[in-house]
Amino acid sequence: MKIVVLGAGSWGTALAIGAASNAPARHRVTLWARDAAQAASLQAQRVNARYLPGIALPDSLDVCAGTVAAAVAGQDLVIIATPMSGLRELLSRLKTCATPVAWLCKGFEAARAQSFGLLAHEVRAQVAPDLIAGALSGPSFAMEVARGQPTALVAASEHASVRDALVKAFHSAALRVYVNEDVTGVEVGGAVKNVLAIATGLCDGLGLGLNARAALITRGLAEMTRLGVALGARPDTFMGLSGLGDLVLTATGDLSRNRRVGLLLAQGRTLKQAVDSLGHVAEGVYCARTVVQRAALLGVDMPISQGVVALLDGQLKPDAAVAALMGREPTHEQL
């Protein structure tokens, strides 16, 4: 199988390594980098020192730059491995592509002049409606995937050909790929968990304890589910890999960038200081406002996410954000 991964960041590189190392298949994988100098460095040094230091690129993994059209020509599967901010541009370049396409990005697109922020499949519907596409998501830190540590993902698409291609490309002894037709649910889970991870990092940074962490994760899952169902998702999706699974990982794992943002804010860092210290994108920072805006339009109550936005916007200090959540009126526990 011939696979091209568009985007040479940590997650794109990790999946490219996984596919190229997938014995006995040993797919032929091309990793496309937007920057020609980065591509030349990766090809020569055979390691992505910035994002995955110490992890060698397999011999069956090639690195290229150049045009997107040239990179995808003759491929059996195209993977978009950019942040949400780069998805629209790449989808517009791929709108006539007949090859199955899947994106890895998690989040909502930033609001535009004529629309509120969109999920990835909604962006695809706008700019590339004929594209056969879907999402690959789930609880996964790039470094662990690159090391071949056990991981489970979910391939979500309304098209069986996309789901089948993703399973064939990535399912291996170390990487288990499940399939799901509920693209909306999978994408909502992947987006909202980043926002909730900021809240959980804040909770842990303030030393509020494991009881508080468990409460945030549980009620955060309820928020995520309410929004997803309002957008047309199936409620059971949120008990799966891209719901509960990804939420638990991102909210508690030390490799989580979004959790790290919360930890740093709890220490008194400014948002800019927290983000600048990461060296990578923390999608929860950029999509939190869109999550709350879309929830408001749908009449969905998301108090934890609202608290995160108030914190990020500087309207509340960390301790005040927690006090606001705990001071809400008692209510019936429900999703």
Side-chain angles (χ1 to χ4, degrees), residues 92-124:
S92 67
R93 296 188 185 190
L94 295 169
K95 61 184 178 181
T96 60
C97 180
T99 303
V101 174
W103 44 80
L104 308 179
C105 44
K106 301 175 181 179
F108 283 84
E109 185 184 47
R112 300 169 64 83
Q114 301 300 319
S115 68
F116 42 70
L118 303 177
L119 290 164
H121 77 276
E122 295 172 322
V123 177
R124 193 273 308 162

PDB file of all heavy atoms in Angstrom, residues 92-124:
ATOM      1  N   SER A  92      -8.842  22.110   0.141  1.00  0.00           N
ATOM      2  CA  SER A  92      -9.130  22.805  -1.122  1.00  0.00           C
ATOM      3  C   SER A  92      -8.212  22.332  -2.231  1.00  0.00           C
ATOM      4  O   SER A  92      -8.610  22.271  -3.398  1.00  0.00           O
ATOM      5  CB  SER A  92      -9.009  24.320  -0.934  1.00  0.00           C
ATOM      6  OG  SER A  92      -7.665  24.698  -0.667  1.00  0.00           O
ATOM      7  N   ARG A  93      -6.981  21.955  -1.870  1.00  0.00           N
ATOM      8  CA  ARG A  93      -6.044  21.444  -2.876  1.00  0.00           C
ATOM      9  C   ARG A  93      -6.360  20.000  -3.254  1.00  0.00           C
ATOM     10  O   ARG A  93      -5.929  19.527  -4.312  1.00  0.00           O
ATOM     11  CB  ARG A  93      -4.612  21.528  -2.346  1.00  0.00           C
ATOM     12  CG  ARG A  93      -4.117  22.935  -2.092  1.00  0.00           C
ATOM     13  CD  ARG A  93      -2.642  22.931  -1.757  1.00  0.00           C
ATOM     14  NE  ARG A  93      -2.151  24.254  -1.383  1.00  0.00           N
ATOM     15  CZ  ARG A  93      -0.871  24.559  -1.220  1.00  0.00           C
ATOM     16  NH1 ARG A  93       0.054  23.614  -1.407  1.00  0.00           N
ATOM     17  NH2 ARG A  93      -0.503  25.766  -0.865  1.00  0.00           N
ATOM     18  N   LEU A  94      -7.082  19.302  -2.394  1.00  0.00           N
ATOM     19  CA  LEU A  94      -7.383  17.888  -2.621  1.00  0.00           C
ATOM     20  C   LEU A  94      -8.805  17.654  -3.118  1.00  0.00           C
ATOM     21  O   LEU A  94      -9.234  16.505  -3.222  1.00  0.00           O
ATOM     22  CB  LEU A  94      -7.182  17.102  -1.317  1.00  0.00           C
ATOM     23  CG  LEU A  94      -5.763  17.035  -0.760  1.00  0.00           C
ATOM     24  CD1 LEU A  94      -5.772  16.466   0.653  1.00  0.00           C
ATOM     25  CD2 LEU A  94      -4.875  16.189  -1.665  1.00  0.00           C
ATOM     26  N   LYS A  95      -9.549  18.701  -3.425  1.00  0.00           N
ATOM     27  CA  LYS A  95     -10.979  18.555  -3.688  1.00  0.00           C
ATOM     28  C   LYS A  95     -11.308  17.678  -4.892  1.00  0.00           C
ATOM     29  O   LYS A  95     -12.399  17.135  -4.978  1.00  0.00           O
ATOM     30  CB  LYS A  95     -11.640  19.923  -3.826  1.00  0.00           C
ATOM     31  CG  LYS A  95     -11.122  20.786  -4.959  1.00  0.00           C
ATOM     32  CD  LYS A  95     -11.806  22.139  -4.906  1.00  0.00           C
ATOM     33  CE  LYS A  95     -11.297  23.082  -5.991  1.00  0.00           C
ATOM     34  NZ  LYS A  95     -11.955  24.410  -5.904  1.00  0.00           N
ATOM     35  N   THR A  96     -10.361  17.519  -5.807  1.00  0.00           N
ATOM     36  CA  THR A  96     -10.599  16.632  -6.952  1.00  0.00           C
ATOM     37  C   THR A  96      -9.902  15.289  -6.802  1.00  0.00           C
ATOM     38  O   THR A  96      -9.910  14.472  -7.725  1.00  0.00           O
ATOM     39  CB  THR A  96     -10.118  17.300  -8.253  1.00  0.00           C
ATOM     40  OG1 THR A  96      -8.711  17.575  -8.168  1.00  0.00           O
ATOM     41  CG2 THR A  96     -10.869  18.608  -8.505  1.00  0.00           C
ATOM     42  N   CYS A  97      -9.317  15.032  -5.633  1.00  0.00           N
ATOM     43  CA  CYS A  97      -8.582  13.791  -5.393  1.00  0.00           C
ATOM     44  C   CYS A  97      -9.556  12.606  -5.314  1.00  0.00           C
ATOM     45  O   CYS A  97     -10.562  12.653  -4.602  1.00  0.00           O
ATOM     46  CB  CYS A  97      -7.792  13.913  -4.102  1.00  0.00           C
ATOM     47  SG  CYS A  97      -6.823  12.457  -3.673  1.00  0.00           S
ATOM     48  N   ALA A  98      -9.260  11.534  -6.043  1.00  0.00           N
ATOM     49  CA  ALA A  98     -10.126  10.345  -6.028  1.00  0.00           C
ATOM     50  C   ALA A  98      -9.687   9.329  -4.982  1.00  0.00           C
ATOM     51  O   ALA A  98     -10.382   8.340  -4.739  1.00  0.00           O
ATOM     52  CB  ALA A  98     -10.121   9.696  -7.407  1.00  0.00           C
ATOM     53  N   THR A  99      -8.546   9.579  -4.359  1.00  0.00           N
ATOM     54  CA  THR A  99      -7.996   8.670  -3.353  1.00  0.00           C
ATOM     55  C   THR A  99      -8.652   8.930  -1.997  1.00  0.00           C
ATOM     56  O   THR A  99      -8.946  10.074  -1.662  1.00  0.00           O
ATOM     57  CB  THR A  99      -6.478   8.899  -3.234  1.00  0.00           C
ATOM     58  OG1 THR A  99      -5.881   8.716  -4.517  1.00  0.00           O
ATOM     59  CG2 THR A  99      -5.852   7.958  -2.229  1.00  0.00           C
ATOM     60  N   PRO A 100      -8.888   7.906  -1.164  1.00  0.00           N
ATOM     61  CA  PRO A 100      -9.398   8.138   0.184  1.00  0.00           C
ATOM     62  C   PRO A 100      -8.486   9.076   0.982  1.00  0.00           C
ATOM     63  O   PRO A 100      -7.264   8.968   0.918  1.00  0.00           O
ATOM     64  CB  PRO A 100      -9.422   6.733   0.807  1.00  0.00           C
ATOM     65  CG  PRO A 100      -9.580   5.816  -0.357  1.00  0.00           C
ATOM     66  CD  PRO A 100      -8.799   6.452  -1.470  1.00  0.00           C
ATOM     67  N   VAL A 101      -9.116   9.998   1.709  1.00  0.00           N
ATOM     68  CA  VAL A 101      -8.399  11.000   2.496  1.00  0.00           C
ATOM     69  C   VAL A 101      -8.886  10.929   3.942  1.00  0.00           C
ATOM     70  O   VAL A 101     -10.079  10.727   4.194  1.00  0.00           O
ATOM     71  CB  VAL A 101      -8.648  12.418   1.935  1.00  0.00           C
ATOM     72  CG1 VAL A 101      -8.014  13.480   2.838  1.00  0.00           C
ATOM     73  CG2 VAL A 101      -8.117  12.541   0.512  1.00  0.00           C
ATOM     74  N   ALA A 102      -7.972  11.074   4.890  1.00  0.00           N
ATOM     75  CA  ALA A 102      -8.353  11.135   6.304  1.00  0.00           C
ATOM     76  C   ALA A 102      -7.522  12.201   6.995  1.00  0.00           C
ATOM     77  O   ALA A 102      -6.360  12.409   6.656  1.00  0.00           O
ATOM     78  CB  ALA A 102      -8.160   9.787   6.988  1.00  0.00           C
ATOM     79  N   TRP A 103      -8.122  12.881   7.953  1.00  0.00           N
ATOM     80  CA  TRP A 103      -7.417  13.904   8.711  1.00  0.00           C
ATOM     81  C   TRP A 103      -7.186  13.435  10.134  1.00  0.00           C
ATOM     82  O   TRP A 103      -7.939  12.642  10.691  1.00  0.00           O
ATOM     83  CB  TRP A 103      -8.183  15.226   8.704  1.00  0.00           C
ATOM     84  CG  TRP A 103      -9.653  15.070   8.941  1.00  0.00           C
ATOM     85  CD1 TRP A 103     -10.302  14.903  10.130  1.00  0.00           C
ATOM     86  CD2 TRP A 103     -10.671  15.051   7.929  1.00  0.00           C
ATOM     87  NE1 TRP A 103     -11.644  14.783   9.932  1.00  0.00           N
ATOM     88  CE2 TRP A 103     -11.910  14.865   8.594  1.00  0.00           C
ATOM     89  CE3 TRP A 103     -10.655  15.175   6.530  1.00  0.00           C
ATOM     90  CZ2 TRP A 103     -13.116  14.804   7.908  1.00  0.00           C
ATOM     91  CZ3 TRP A 103     -11.860  15.110   5.850  1.00  0.00           C
ATOM     92  CH2 TRP A 103     -13.069  14.929   6.530  1.00  0.00           C
ATOM     93  N   LEU A 104      -6.111  13.959  10.745  1.00  0.00           N
ATOM     94  CA  LEU A 104      -5.749  13.627  12.116  1.00  0.00           C
ATOM     95  C   LEU A 104      -6.067  14.754  13.089  1.00  0.00           C
ATOM     96  O   LEU A 104      -6.053  14.537  14.299  1.00  0.00           O
ATOM     97  CB  LEU A 104      -4.240  13.335  12.208  1.00  0.00           C
ATOM     98  CG  LEU A 104      -3.650  12.321  11.233  1.00  0.00           C
ATOM     99  CD1 LEU A 104      -2.145  12.181  11.470  1.00  0.00           C
ATOM    100  CD2 LEU A 104      -4.338  10.978  11.350  1.00  0.00           C
ATOM    101  N   CYS A 105      -6.317  15.962  12.573  1.00  0.00           N
ATOM    102  CA  CYS A 105      -6.483  17.130  13.433  1.00  0.00           C
ATOM    103  C   CYS A 105      -7.744  17.015  14.293  1.00  0.00           C
ATOM    104  O   CYS A 105      -8.744  16.431  13.881  1.00  0.00           O
ATOM    105  CB  CYS A 105      -6.524  18.402  12.603  1.00  0.00           C
ATOM    106  SG  CYS A 105      -7.543  18.313  11.129  1.00  0.00           S
ATOM    107  N   LYS A 106      -7.653  17.579  15.496  1.00  0.00           N
ATOM    108  CA  LYS A 106      -8.750  17.535  16.456  1.00  0.00           C
ATOM    109  C   LYS A 106      -9.079  18.960  16.897  1.00  0.00           C
ATOM    110  O   LYS A 106      -8.201  19.673  17.362  1.00  0.00           O
ATOM    111  CB  LYS A 106      -8.361  16.703  17.682  1.00  0.00           C
ATOM    112  CG  LYS A 106      -7.987  15.252  17.373  1.00  0.00           C
ATOM    113  CD  LYS A 106      -7.500  14.539  18.621  1.00  0.00           C
ATOM    114  CE  LYS A 106      -7.104  13.098  18.337  1.00  0.00           C
ATOM    115  NZ  LYS A 106      -6.604  12.392  19.536  1.00  0.00           N
ATOM    116  N   GLY A 107     -10.312  19.339  16.755  1.00  0.00           N
ATOM    117  CA  GLY A 107     -10.701  20.670  17.193  1.00  0.00           C
ATOM    118  C   GLY A 107     -11.776  21.250  16.311  1.00  0.00           C
ATOM    119  O   GLY A 107     -12.329  20.589  15.431  1.00  0.00           O
ATOM    120  N   PHE A 108     -12.105  22.510  16.561  1.00  0.00           N
ATOM    121  CA  PHE A 108     -12.988  23.295  15.717  1.00  0.00           C
ATOM    122  C   PHE A 108     -12.148  24.324  14.988  1.00  0.00           C
ATOM    123  O   PHE A 108     -11.219  24.899  15.561  1.00  0.00           O
ATOM    124  CB  PHE A 108     -14.041  24.019  16.546  1.00  0.00           C
ATOM    125  CG  PHE A 108     -15.175  23.157  17.032  1.00  0.00           C
ATOM    126  CD1 PHE A 108     -15.051  22.416  18.192  1.00  0.00           C
ATOM    127  CD2 PHE A 108     -16.371  23.104  16.333  1.00  0.00           C
ATOM    128  CE1 PHE A 108     -16.098  21.637  18.659  1.00  0.00           C
ATOM    129  CE2 PHE A 108     -17.422  22.321  16.791  1.00  0.00           C
ATOM    130  CZ  PHE A 108     -17.290  21.585  17.949  1.00  0.00           C
ATOM    131  N   GLU A 109     -12.485  24.584  13.745  1.00  0.00           N
ATOM    132  CA  GLU A 109     -11.829  25.663  13.019  1.00  0.00           C
ATOM    133  C   GLU A 109     -12.205  26.994  13.659  1.00  0.00           C
ATOM    134  O   GLU A 109     -13.316  27.154  14.167  1.00  0.00           O
ATOM    135  CB  GLU A 109     -12.285  25.636  11.556  1.00  0.00           C
ATOM    136  CG  GLU A 109     -11.578  26.634  10.666  1.00  0.00           C
ATOM    137  CD  GLU A 109     -12.129  26.628   9.245  1.00  0.00           C
ATOM    138  OE1 GLU A 109     -13.364  26.643   9.085  1.00  0.00           O
ATOM    139  OE2 GLU A 109     -11.335  26.615   8.296  1.00  0.00           O
ATOM    140  N   ALA A 110     -11.305  27.949  13.628  1.00  0.00           N
ATOM    141  CA  ALA A 110     -11.618  29.279  14.138  1.00  0.00           C
ATOM    142  C   ALA A 110     -12.759  29.885  13.339  1.00  0.00           C
ATOM    143  O   ALA A 110     -12.902  29.637  12.127  1.00  0.00           O
ATOM    144  CB  ALA A 110     -10.377  30.173  14.051  1.00  0.00           C
ATOM    145  N   ALA A 111     -13.598  30.666  14.002  1.00  0.00           N
ATOM    146  CA  ALA A 111     -14.735  31.293  13.335  1.00  0.00           C
ATOM    147  C   ALA A 111     -14.257  32.168  12.185  1.00  0.00           C
ATOM    148  O   ALA A 111     -13.223  32.830  12.267  1.00  0.00           O
ATOM    149  CB  ALA A 111     -15.531  32.113  14.334  1.00  0.00           C
ATOM    150  N   ARG A 112     -15.026  32.158  11.096  1.00  0.00           N
ATOM    151  CA  ARG A 112     -14.713  32.952   9.925  1.00  0.00           C
ATOM    152  C   ARG A 112     -15.780  34.028   9.752  1.00  0.00           C
ATOM    153  O   ARG A 112     -16.794  34.036  10.452  1.00  0.00           O
ATOM    154  CB  ARG A 112     -14.641  32.061   8.681  1.00  0.00           C
ATOM    155  CG  ARG A 112     -13.565  30.977   8.800  1.00  0.00           C
ATOM    156  CD  ARG A 112     -13.695  29.945   7.686  1.00  0.00           C
ATOM    157  NE  ARG A 112     -13.477  30.515   6.372  1.00  0.00           N
ATOM    158  CZ  ARG A 112     -12.282  30.705   5.829  1.00  0.00           C
ATOM    159  NH1 ARG A 112     -11.193  30.370   6.511  1.00  0.00           N
ATOM    160  NH2 ARG A 112     -12.158  31.223   4.639  1.00  0.00           N
ATOM    161  N   ALA A 113     -15.561  34.933   8.782  1.00  0.00           N
ATOM    162  CA  ALA A 113     -16.469  36.071   8.605  1.00  0.00           C
ATOM    163  C   ALA A 113     -17.913  35.630   8.371  1.00  0.00           C
ATOM    164  O   ALA A 113     -18.852  36.247   8.854  1.00  0.00           O
ATOM    165  CB  ALA A 113     -15.985  36.931   7.443  1.00  0.00           C
ATOM    166  N   GLN A 114     -18.093  34.547   7.624  1.00  0.00           N
ATOM    167  CA  GLN A 114     -19.431  34.129   7.243  1.00  0.00           C
ATOM    168  C   GLN A 114     -19.938  32.908   8.002  1.00  0.00           C
ATOM    169  O   GLN A 114     -21.015  32.400   7.676  1.00  0.00           O
ATOM    170  CB  GLN A 114     -19.460  33.833   5.728  1.00  0.00           C
ATOM    171  CG  GLN A 114     -19.070  35.007   4.849  1.00  0.00           C
ATOM    172  CD  GLN A 114     -19.993  36.198   5.044  1.00  0.00           C
ATOM    173  OE1 GLN A 114     -21.204  36.041   5.161  1.00  0.00           O
ATOM    174  NE2 GLN A 114     -19.420  37.389   5.085  1.00  0.00           N
ATOM    175  N   SER A 115     -19.198  32.434   8.981  1.00  0.00           N
ATOM    176  CA  SER A 115     -19.658  31.232   9.678  1.00  0.00           C
ATOM    177  C   SER A 115     -18.993  31.100  11.037  1.00  0.00           C
ATOM    178  O   SER A 115     -17.930  31.664  11.280  1.00  0.00           O
ATOM    179  CB  SER A 115     -19.347  29.978   8.843  1.00  0.00           C
ATOM    180  OG  SER A 115     -17.958  29.749   8.775  1.00  0.00           O
ATOM    181  N   PHE A 116     -19.644  30.341  11.933  1.00  0.00           N
ATOM    182  CA  PHE A 116     -19.022  29.991  13.207  1.00  0.00           C
ATOM    183  C   PHE A 116     -17.971  28.912  12.959  1.00  0.00           C
ATOM    184  O   PHE A 116     -17.844  28.398  11.848  1.00  0.00           O
ATOM    185  CB  PHE A 116     -20.083  29.490  14.192  1.00  0.00           C
ATOM    186  CG  PHE A 116     -21.101  28.567  13.590  1.00  0.00           C
ATOM    187  CD1 PHE A 116     -20.760  27.278  13.198  1.00  0.00           C
ATOM    188  CD2 PHE A 116     -22.408  28.988  13.412  1.00  0.00           C
ATOM    189  CE1 PHE A 116     -21.698  26.425  12.649  1.00  0.00           C
ATOM    190  CE2 PHE A 116     -23.357  28.141  12.848  1.00  0.00           C
ATOM    191  CZ  PHE A 116     -23.005  26.862  12.464  1.00  0.00           C
ATOM    192  N   GLY A 117     -17.215  28.579  13.963  1.00  0.00           N
ATOM    193  CA  GLY A 117     -16.185  27.564  13.804  1.00  0.00           C
ATOM    194  C   GLY A 117     -16.758  26.212  13.460  1.00  0.00           C
ATOM    195  O   GLY A 117     -17.787  25.794  14.004  1.00  0.00           O
ATOM    196  N   LEU A 118     -16.094  25.499  12.564  1.00  0.00           N
ATOM    197  CA  LEU A 118     -16.601  24.238  12.036  1.00  0.00           C
ATOM    198  C   LEU A 118     -15.730  23.064  12.462  1.00  0.00           C
ATOM    199  O   LEU A 118     -14.525  23.201  12.682  1.00  0.00           O
ATOM    200  CB  LEU A 118     -16.639  24.288  10.505  1.00  0.00           C
ATOM    201  CG  LEU A 118     -17.455  25.412   9.868  1.00  0.00           C
ATOM    202  CD1 LEU A 118     -17.324  25.347   8.349  1.00  0.00           C
ATOM    203  CD2 LEU A 118     -18.924  25.333  10.278  1.00  0.00           C
ATOM    204  N   LEU A 119     -16.355  21.900  12.566  1.00  0.00           N
ATOM    205  CA  LEU A 119     -15.625  20.650  12.699  1.00  0.00           C
ATOM    206  C   LEU A 119     -14.993  20.296  11.355  1.00  0.00           C
ATOM    207  O   LEU A 119     -15.373  20.835  10.309  1.00  0.00           O
ATOM    208  CB  LEU A 119     -16.571  19.537  13.146  1.00  0.00           C
ATOM    209  CG  LEU A 119     -17.080  19.633  14.584  1.00  0.00           C
ATOM    210  CD1 LEU A 119     -18.280  18.720  14.777  1.00  0.00           C
ATOM    211  CD2 LEU A 119     -15.976  19.271  15.575  1.00  0.00           C
ATOM    212  N   ALA A 120     -14.057  19.359  11.376  1.00  0.00           N
ATOM    213  CA  ALA A 120     -13.308  19.028  10.159  1.00  0.00           C
ATOM    214  C   ALA A 120     -14.223  18.562   9.031  1.00  0.00           C
ATOM    215  O   ALA A 120     -14.066  18.974   7.877  1.00  0.00           O
ATOM    216  CB  ALA A 120     -12.264  17.967  10.470  1.00  0.00           C
ATOM    217  N   HIS A 121     -15.207  17.700   9.335  1.00  0.00           N
ATOM    218  CA  HIS A 121     -16.061  17.201   8.256  1.00  0.00           C
ATOM    219  C   HIS A 121     -16.970  18.305   7.705  1.00  0.00           C
ATOM    220  O   HIS A 121     -17.387  18.243   6.546  1.00  0.00           O
ATOM    221  CB  HIS A 121     -16.892  16.009   8.734  1.00  0.00           C
ATOM    222  CG  HIS A 121     -18.063  16.355   9.587  1.00  0.00           C
ATOM    223  ND1 HIS A 121     -17.955  16.565  10.932  1.00  0.00           N
ATOM    224  CD2 HIS A 121     -19.382  16.533   9.276  1.00  0.00           C
ATOM    225  CE1 HIS A 121     -19.153  16.856  11.432  1.00  0.00           C
ATOM    226  NE2 HIS A 121     -20.026  16.844  10.457  1.00  0.00           N
ATOM    227  N   GLU A 122     -17.242  19.336   8.513  1.00  0.00           N
ATOM    228  CA  GLU A 122     -18.022  20.462   8.023  1.00  0.00           C
ATOM    229  C   GLU A 122     -17.185  21.343   7.100  1.00  0.00           C
ATOM    230  O   GLU A 122     -17.708  21.907   6.126  1.00  0.00           O
ATOM    231  CB  GLU A 122     -18.554  21.263   9.208  1.00  0.00           C
ATOM    232  CG  GLU A 122     -19.539  20.490  10.070  1.00  0.00           C
ATOM    233  CD  GLU A 122     -19.923  21.212  11.351  1.00  0.00           C
ATOM    234  OE1 GLU A 122     -19.043  21.862  11.958  1.00  0.00           O
ATOM    235  OE2 GLU A 122     -21.092  21.112  11.750  1.00  0.00           O
ATOM    236  N   VAL A 123     -15.894  21.477   7.410  1.00  0.00           N
ATOM    237  CA  VAL A 123     -14.991  22.184   6.504  1.00  0.00           C
ATOM    238  C   VAL A 123     -14.914  21.439   5.174  1.00  0.00           C
ATOM    239  O   VAL A 123     -14.995  22.034   4.091  1.00  0.00           O
ATOM    240  CB  VAL A 123     -13.588  22.323   7.125  1.00  0.00           C
ATOM    241  CG1 VAL A 123     -12.624  23.000   6.145  1.00  0.00           C
ATOM    242  CG2 VAL A 123     -13.650  23.097   8.434  1.00  0.00           C
ATOM    243  N   ARG A 124     -14.776  20.123   5.247  1.00  0.00           N
ATOM    244  CA  ARG A 124     -14.726  19.314   4.029  1.00  0.00           C
ATOM    245  C   ARG A 124     -15.988  19.494   3.189  1.00  0.00           C
ATOM    246  O   ARG A 124     -15.921  19.614   1.954  1.00  0.00           O
ATOM    247  CB  ARG A 124     -14.546  17.846   4.416  1.00  0.00           C
ATOM    248  CG  ARG A 124     -14.166  16.898   3.270  1.00  0.00           C
ATOM    249  CD  ARG A 124     -15.347  16.345   2.520  1.00  0.00           C
ATOM    250  NE  ARG A 124     -16.332  15.756   3.400  1.00  0.00           N
ATOM    251  CZ  ARG A 124     -17.589  15.509   3.038  1.00  0.00           C
ATOM    252  NH1 ARG A 124     -18.013  15.800   1.820  1.00  0.00           N
ATOM    253  NH2 ARG A 124     -18.441  14.994   3.902  1.00  0.00           N
TER     254      ARG A 124
END
